Amino acid sequence: MSTLKVMAPLTGWCAPLDEVPDQVFAGRMLGDGLAIDPTSGVVIAPCAGEIITLPASAHAVSIRTAQGIDVLIHIGIDTVELRGRGFEPCVKPGAMVRAGDELIRFDLDVVARGAKSLMTPIVIAPMDGVTISQRRAQGLVAAGEILFEIGPIPQHAMSQPLAAAAAAESAASGTLTIALRHGLHARPAAMLANRAKTFAAQVSLNAHGRSANARSVVAMMALGVRHGDGLTIQAIGPDAPQAVAAVVAALDEAMTMDSAAAPAAPAAGAVPSAAQAGTGVLNGIVAVGGFEVGRATRIERRKIDVVEHSANSAHEVAELERALTNVRLRLQRVAATGGATRREIIEAHLEFLSDPSLQEAAHGLIAAGKGAGFAWRSAVRQSISALEALGDARMRERADDLLDVEAHVLLALAGEARPMIMPLPEQAVLLADDLLPSEITALDRQRLAAICLGAGGTTSHVAILAAAMEVPMLVGIGAGLREIADGSIVIVDADAGRLHIKPSAQDIEQARGTVESRRLARIAQRAAARTECRALDGTRVEVFANLGNIADAAAAALNGAEGCGLLRTEFLFIDRETAPGEDEQLAAYQGIANALGDVPVILRLMDVGGDKPLRYLALPHEENPALGMRGVRTALAHPDLLRAQLRAALRVAPFGKVRLLIPMVTDAAEIRAVRGMVDELTRELSLPGRVELGAMIETPAAALTAARICGEVEFLSIGSNDLTQYTLAMDRGHAELARRTDALHPAVLNLIASTADAGTAAGKLVAVCGGVAADSQAVPILLGLGVRELSVVPAAIPALKQQIRGLRILECRELAIRCLGAASAGEVRALVEKTIANVGEPT
Ligand code: PEP
Ligand code: MG
């Protein structure tokens, strides 16, 4: 027996694993160890050994020592998402390294900006009887200093072939095919390791001609076992047959769970996933609400075969390039025809197509004699495994996007295009274990009633697309979904999270009645949305649309928008290598203005910088992006950029249709600076009049000085999303604070009230264009406070107009005044709940 000293691989602050903001590491699922919050970007080998994993993203590395101990270093948390950005590997998998050799270099700034945390766990894969001692105390540690010791190390190296074990001991083995969607990744491997540890026998897993200790999660992951791969389990020891049986059972269990996987973080108010077969009802998680009756229609994913070997690397590289280009062109075409949601998702897929680490991995495999399809699939699956290893539901949902891109390219290699429309019967209720984004967009919406998935998540791209298509969707239903006979009639109550799989004839008739009355109500809402909107007492309230592009403009016109209350022009500026020129901007703005018809367009000047960086602008690194150079501050710091945007906006015909809105205002001087430029350009362009200028009220400073700001502008528009984040000092994107970042907090309402009062006193229109405008509980309060224009996403317009038509402003005013004195957002919402029936009652 001996011990092994493990050195600190980085300089930084040493801390226990409990401080790592990730359940997998803090819960020691991958083994025991310590963490370092690094102050330098050089990772050295903590001991001598062989590099057994170093993914293309180079965010993690594991070393196997001569004694068979696996040491994993994972640089930061969620760093796989950086896809190699900021990381530079200094060694390759399979290399033998000495303690102190450089393994990875990384850019602290880049990684810190892109990662959830820099905390770097250094863990030892669990090994029977081996413990950590002499742990370094919390505090500063320099790379190369001893971090901890491991021991006692058994004489027989755990990774040695089990065949070398004593022949006298009993041996057993078993084989199976891995049906885990994403192969043998961290979670099933952790489950196996726990099971294997309860036996005296030494258990190994064998695949691809390699062997891994079944007690080591890292070693099992490094086997790279993928969906459909064969796996042999071997055990040697007194209880070998029981050990093999237990590991096979654990794998079966993992595969059942995997096929019925529910998302790790169900949405608020979601129904827990539990199949209740026998009762005729299956429970699911609500991804998109709604109610439908239809015919169960199962779709199975097509299997695409690939050829593993090829002797002609040059041909395979050319084939891969051709396929990538074809898919890129096709996706770009699809993106141009869909709405904003679809475009954003396709853009993410386009990123994957050009991902350097994926391409590098695929080219490496082709150079090693593999076919293009095999190489591409292997490269994609490698990245998926890295995502899976993080044990995060969101990451798993990203894996589906990668699978989608994989399928596109494999089909293109086979010379096929994905069929744009999959055949569906009328009123199809689509059943599947899971769906890929391109699969949902290929469905015929006219025939699709609802979607029910065995797995899936509420925040996946598929869920987002279903919401954009307004298709009710349940996810996480589990294996019970497979019991439904294809073609049978089912009722999807996607408001209550229930799927009725054996409805009686009477149930079906009743449900059809519900579907029909809801349909008629929607039609009536849409039809009524085209007329102007007045409250019960005749007060005029304008309902405008928030837009990001031309597809949104078409949806806005369809839903009865009376104008565009917020055109987020950032879409033209971000995610590109050079700034859009004046003519390009003019074409985009004019197209949107034309699509909307004869209504005003409030064009927000570029709200960039901060959390919306531009690659072509040397913007400073921000400690607190939300509090740095963003909005009008960035625009004024880059006058050329602002001038080009102003010229494009002012040239939109007819003159006067476009009004300008200034984002992130904190004082009147900012408005005067923009006004100065606008006046200069008005003269330069010989325009027939003065363009209207508005200020976004998004900072407490602007709300509190709204009276002064009114003197500089023609209208005010309250950006409640930012106003809430700055008032409550809660990041609007913070997951844990999401429930508390509520614009109905009385502090935010008081700022909205003082803004509205200032606007009313000055005779200036006060609008709200933040998310709160579409919150039905907020609407009576906002109208009561004096807001007379609401700007919301196009789909929300019909219901919003219907609500306003049932409100009396005087009662709204009384409610609003009581809400201003409430103690919390919860109290405000309770007050609205109590009053809303009276507020909305017709006379
Ligand atoms: C807001 O802050 O409320 C707003 C409308 O602007 P954005 O959400 O684009 O920051
Ligand atoms: Mg804002």
Side-chain angles (χ1 to χ4, degrees), residues 635-689:
L636 289 172
H638 297 274
D640 290 348
L641 220 51
L642 177 58
R643 190 168 288 116
Q645 181 172 41
L646 288 173
R647 278 184 62 96
L650 292 171
R651 285 171 60 199
V652 174
F655 176 77
K657 182 179 171 96
V658 164
R659 304 171 190 168
L660 301 177
L661 182 59
I662 310 175
M664 286 297 297
V665 168
T666 42
D667 61 32
E670 289 163 333
I671 302 167
R672 281 198 289 273
V674 175
R675 175 73 81 186
M677 254 196 208
V678 171
D679 287 347
E680 190 188 312
L681 293 173
T682 304
R683 284 191 296 277
E684 203 175 291
L685 292 165
S686 308
L687 297 173

Side-chain angles (χ1 to χ4, degrees), residues 681-699:
L681 293 173
T682 304
R683 284 191 296 277
E684 203 175 291
L685 292 165
S686 308
L687 297 173
R690 207 174 190 227
V691 71
E692 284 193 16
L693 214 54
M696 276 196 89
I697 307 296
E698 300 180 278
T699 64

Side-chain angles (χ1 to χ4, degrees), residues 627 697-704 718-732 740-752 754-755:
L627 303 180
I697 307 296
E698 300 180 278
T699 64
L704 293 168
I718 298 171
S720 55
N721 307 335
D722 276 315
L723 185 61
T724 306
Q725 98 161 331
Y726 294 127
T727 306
L728 303 183
M730 290 181 189
D731 187 333
R732 60 194 268 188
R740 294 174 58 198
T741 315
D742 190 337
L744 290 197
H745 190 292
V748 183
L749 292 182
N750 276 282
L751 290 174
I752 294 176
S754 49
T755 305

